[in-house]
Amino acid sequence: PSESLQNLQRAFSVTNRVDGQVLPHQLTLKSNSTLQLKVQGLQPEEEYVISVSPRADVVDGMGLELQESKGQLKMGNLPGIFLAPEPRNPGLWTSACSDRFMPKDAPEIF
């Protein structure tokens, strides 16, 4: 990644609002106007604070320095029909819907 993107990533922090644990994260430039923030360890029903520290070495297209900003978010539970890779059997997918539907009611993809 470019030095500017690395400096911007250093300006970001993601912490658990309750216990203050700082979570590892990665910032990726998807396009000229889109950044993607990937955070490891987010848990359902937990609240987090995303903070951006001011940095003079990160500027926008008009030369303005990065300003301080904060935001909060709360992670929700995934819907019961969410598919996830099966860790013990590569290539298979599991779903939490098996305990919510009778076999005849399950979506066709199962």
Side-chain angles (χ1 to χ4, degrees):
S2 71
E3 182 179 342
S4 296
L5 186 58
Q6 290 174 351
N7 291 340
L8 182 58
Q9 181 167 317
R10 284 191 277 276
F12 274 75
S13 70
V14 181
T15 56
N16 184 299
R17 194 179 72 75
V18 175
D19 65 15
Q21 177 187 8
V22 178
L23 301 175
H25 64 280
Q26 179 181 7
L27 199 60
T28 306
L29 182 64
K30 300 307 267 183
S31 71
N32 285 340
S33 61
T34 305
L35 289 170
Q36 180 181 51
L37 178 64
K38 291 183 180 181
V39 182
Q40 296 177 13
L42 295 174
Q43 296 296 316
E45 301 300 318
E46 291 287 325
E47 295 183 30
Y48 299 94
V49 176
I50 299 175
S51 302
V52 179
S53 301
R55 287 189 69 111
D57 57 354
V58 177
V59 296
D60 66 13
M62 300 176 79
L64 300 174
E65 297 175 359
L66 185 64
Q67 297 181 1
E68 181 176 16
S69 183
K70 283 188 178 182
Q72 292 188 23
L73 63 101
K74 181 176 182 178
M75 299 301 295
N77 283 316
L78 294 173
I81 199 154
F82 178 77
L83 292 174
E86 169 58 54
R88 296 168 296 201
N89 299 306
L92 294 180
W93 293 76
T94 59
S95 170
C97 82
S98 60
D99 61 349
R100 294 179 151 189
F101 297 103
M102 296 300 288
K104 63 180 175 44
D105 297 329
E108 288 181 27
I109 59 173
F110 297 103

